[in-house]
Amino acid sequence: MKDTSPGTFRLSRRNLMKFGLSAGALGMVPAASTLAKTNNVRGRIVIVGAGAGGIALANRLARRLPLAEITLIDSRTAHTYQPGLTLVASGLWHPNDVMSQNNRWVPSSINWIQAQVSTFEPESKRVVLSNGQTLGYDFLVVATGLQVNYDHIEGFSHDMIGEHGIGCVYDSRDNAMKTNTMIDQWINKGSGKGIFTLAPTPIKCAGAPLKMAFTTLSRLENTGRRDQYDVHFYAPGNRVFGLDYYNDFVKQRWDDQGVTRHDFHKLVALDAPARKARFERTDGTVHETDYEFIHVVPPMSAPDPVRQSDLVWQDGPFAGNWLDVDQHTMQHNRYPEVFGLGDVIGAPVNKTAASVKMQTPVVEENLIAVMQGQALTASHNGYTSCPLITGIGKAMLVEFGYNGVMLPSFPFIDPKDESWAVWVMKEQMLKPAYYAMLDGRI
Ligand SMILES: Cc1cc2nc3c(=O)[nH]c(=O)nc-3n(C[C@H](O)[C@H](O)[C@H](O)COP(=O)(O)OP(=O)(O)OC[C@H]3O[C@@H](n4cnc5c(N)ncnc54)[C@H](O)[C@@H]3O)c2cc1C
């Protein structure tokens, strides 16, 4: 992979200290709960989804509840470090850098069933699996992540990623790698139009589509022939980021970098072989354009088995699409023995691994409280964080919670400053922190 100096910085204790980014500052201190076993609590706990949230919670509960019967359900055996996918798609990481095996993380003391849940039956407290098995539970945690709805864009399917100039960073390691190939081909052609899009729904890591635009702009600028390339960004509304400061910052930067922005344009169809994209404007009119490269961000929702169950929000902005939980306690609003964790929940912000890190101890504490018949005491403040890459070698650390409240973790990092230190954090330090989270140790 490419050497993107100054990214050749290597992680070491000395370097961590130089940047003031000690293990404590990254939150890599042992969780208090990992020390305190709860020896008198029994019950059947089913966790659905062995991703970031499901595995982190399984590890914490396995330590806390030696007498509980914990089952984890997921057919997926390989684990993808998803925050690294933008770096793979930008040509900065080798695809293998984001892969590990789930059996490295899943605690041996729990029962891991390698199947999918096809039906949730919360009234009878059971789930039906893709292998035909039915499983009862006393307590359920839904940690299924989200589903990328490729078919909501006419003419598009995920096997088109890596062909006809189509990229998408939301699919898999292999398709992140192919996205990089598509960008390379566009750059090597020496000219042509590149299009970057946003989805009309909540998406995981809302900053990822912006990161893809910014790293590609760096690559185009590095050719010394930036003016040969025509770069466009299409958004379904008039914002590219939830917080005003960053929204204005990104738009201004793109204006300065010669990016043509199109607000109120939703991607509705692709004609891949002809390299044409169709956008629907808010007023119902249609805009069709050709491209050399397009980065597609499809609509997203909770996975179908969740959407089609009674567990889904019944009304409001998340109705029919996302899991119905209290955004602070993480407990289901209608089924008190059910909790939600991670991307699957309907809440105004979240959908990052950083949110999962903060939600997991809340679910742990409140689930144990319910098991003991006690009041819920833990509360999630909506914390999410995004190292917003603004070019290769620079980034801003955006940390906030519900109602747009800024929640900075590092007194020495100005959240409004672009810096190489934040880039290093994203590029080299978040992965060890993420793996420590999976292990249930932070
Ligand atoms: C391109 C990209 C960039 C990102 N960048 C960042 C970043 O910089 N910082 C950050 O903090 N976060 C980032 N994220 C987001 C982060 O990776 C996710 O928010 C996080 O992984 C969510 O964890 P989860 O446990 O909710 O879901 P996941 O980790 O996606 O796991 C869900 C699991 O549930 C399983 N599952 C689904 N349905 C079922 C079913 N019916 N039965 C059984 N199992 C099921 C799946 O197989 C999967 O293993 C990024 C994500 C992407 C894609």
Side-chain angles (χ1 to χ4, degrees), residues 9 14-22 412 420-421 424 429:
F9 179 97
R14 183 186 294 259
N15 283 328
L16 281 170
M17 298 315 287
K18 197 160 79 187
F19 284 95
L21 299 173
S22 66
F412 47 86
W420 179 61
V424 171
M429 292 152 90

Side-chain angles (χ1 to χ4, degrees), residues 49 51-53 74 76 82-83 116-117 144-145 205 211 342-343 352-354 426:
D74 197 331
R76 199 174 285 179
Q82 297 174 45
Q116 295 294 100
V117 167
T144 57
C205 192
K211 295 175 200 177
D343 291 351
T352 61
K426 162 76 187 165

Side-chain angles (χ1 to χ4, degrees), residues 65 407 418:
L65 303 174
L407 298 169
E418 289 169 289

Side-chain angles (χ1 to χ4, degrees), residues 48-54 73-76 78-86 102 115-118 120 143-146 169-171 204-205 208 211 303 305-306 341-344 351-356 384-387 426 430 434:
V48 184
I73 304 172
D74 197 331
S75 58
R76 199 174 285 179
H79 189 90
T80 306
Y81 170 64
Q82 297 174 45
L85 291 176
T86 43
N102 267 351
Q116 295 294 100
V117 167
S118 47
F120 290 88
T144 57
L146 56 68
V169 80
Y170 281 105
D171 191 62
K204 61 172 115 192
C205 192
K211 295 175 200 177
V306 176
L341 175 59
D343 291 351
V344 69
K351 304 208 194 306
T352 61
S355 307
V356 168
T384 188
S385 116
C386 170
K426 162 76 187 165
L430 289 187
Y434 174 94

Side-chain angles (χ1 to χ4, degrees), residues 24-38:
L26 269 176
M28 292 176 70
V29 286
S33 64
T34 61
L35 306 172
K37 280 197 167 75
T38 312

Side-chain angles (χ1 to χ4, degrees), residues 57-78:
L57 184 70
N59 273 300
R60 296 172 76 102
L61 292 179
R63 286 191 199 106
R64 277 302 283 288
L65 303 174
L67 298 185
E69 195 186 302
I70 303 171
T71 303
L72 181 64
I73 304 172
D74 197 331
S75 58
R76 199 174 285 179
T77 53

